[in-house]
Amino acid sequence: MKKYLLLVEDEKVWMKFKDMIDRDINTEILELIKEKTQKGKKKDEK
């Protein structure tokens, strides 16, 4: 399995995200990635 480093430059946004999640950070981020990839194309693609 490949591992990636997540860099979040906005400390306030990161803290808010951490306070909102119910599970571990990796699981939450993977769920966000799955949701985004299931939606389909990028905004600028048609």
Side-chain angles (χ1 to χ4, degrees):
M1 177 178 191
K2 292 183 180 181
K3 296 180 181 180
Y4 297 92
L5 173 65
L6 175 65
L7 176 62
V8 180
E9 294 180 354
D10 189 331
E11 185 94 16
K12 290 179 185 177
V13 170
W14 178 247
M15 295 305 288
K16 187 174 181 180
F17 175 73
K18 283 179 33 180
D19 289 342
M20 291 175 55
I21 62 175
D22 297 324
R23 299 171 284 183
D24 66 285
I25 292 171
N26 288 333
T27 302
E28 292 288 343
I29 291 172
L30 286 172
E31 287 298 317
L32 290 170
I33 291 169
K34 287 178 187 176
E35 287 176 23
K36 186 70 172 178
T37 55
Q38 289 174 355
K39 287 183 181 177
K41 299 178 181 178
K42 292 181 181 180
K43 292 179 183 178
D44 57 349
E45 291 181 358
K46 292 185 180 179

